[in-house]
Amino acid sequence: MHKILRFLIALGGMTIVLSACESAPITGRSQLMLVSESEEREMGLQAYRQVLSQEPASHNAEFNALVEKVGRRIATAAESPPEELWQAPHYHWEFRAIQKNEPNAFCLPGGKIAVYSGLLPITRNEAGLATVIGHEVAHALARHSAERLSDQTLVSAGVAAAAVALSTSGNRRTTSYSPLVIAALGAGASVGILLPMSRTQEAEADHIGLILMARAGYDPHEAIGLWERMRAANKGGRQAEWLSTHPADETRIENIRRWVPEAMQYYRRQ
């Protein structure tokens, strides 16, 4: 019985994967999408409203103007893809400056961008801020949020399927140890699949972000300095790269140096 169940689960999983594959912009990486774009945008809007209700808005006119200016230029680049490298998202863009001493920024699905004041000592100039906003907009363009949700859904389904298969097994030894096996599967899935996928998405956002900032009129070389400053600002020890959701700073900077020549093809000073 459990063999038939495993076969049906595997068959159903293959059907879902084959019918829900898309390709990421620029890299062409295959993506699993089990979340619709409309669902993703709705979740992004809800999250955006929640953040704005909890975080203090900045009343610094200069900071607000800077976020609006750089954000608008990156958004314009996102909506006018070169050579059909990605599909124009047709987002309803919004730009908010948040007064909080935290080096953070985000672009939620639907084009909702927020920048925290704690980033300014690191970004230093428009190009530095364009690097950060370009990276965050790239996450939205590549639908990384929907992909992450899809990956988690699939992994959860796989672990649940393993639990069912183990519980129907006639092997007394296997059944008695099934909670431990399931726990191991969960840990293995997290370290072996979800975290590496997250690092892949981060690198992909760096890559796409360089082209976005270049299209917006910012020199992609400036991204190297930004991430070097970000590395210097990272106090304390970093988690081992294979257990981290972000690439190691050295890996990120090395990748960016490699991608800058490609991005420079799209650079037009404004």
Side-chain angles (χ1 to χ4, degrees), residues 108-143:
L108 292 170
K112 312 306 181 188
I113 292 173
V115 178
Y116 290 63
S117 59
L119 260 179
L120 295 182
I122 302 173
T123 57
R124 293 187 183 177
N125 53 38
E126 281 191 33
L129 184 57
T131 303
V132 175
I133 293 180
H135 172 93
E136 298 302 331
V137 169
H139 277 306
L141 277 182
R143 299 193 60 207

Side-chain angles (χ1 to χ4, degrees), residues 190-191 195-196 199 236-251:
S190 177
V191 174
L195 291 180
R199 291 196 297 273
R238 280 289 305 273
Q239 194 174 25
E241 183 174 1
W242 68 281
L243 283 174
S244 172
T245 59
H246 289 61
D249 294 322
E250 293 76 14
T251 302

Side-chain angles (χ1 to χ4, degrees), residues 15-57:
T15 301
I16 292 172
V17 170
L18 290 174
S19 63
C21 283
E22 296 185 13
S23 296
I26 310 298
T27 67
R29 179 179 60 83
S30 180
Q31 298 173 286
L32 175 67
M33 293 294 183
L34 303 177
V35 178
S36 72
E37 192 167 357
S38 61
E39 290 172 326
E40 182 188 22
R41 293 192 189 203
E42 179 59 30
M43 286 186 287
L45 180 59
Q46 291 178 6
Y48 181 63
R49 288 170 176 168
Q50 182 177 353
V51 169
L52 294 187
S53 70
Q54 296 173 347
E55 302 287 40

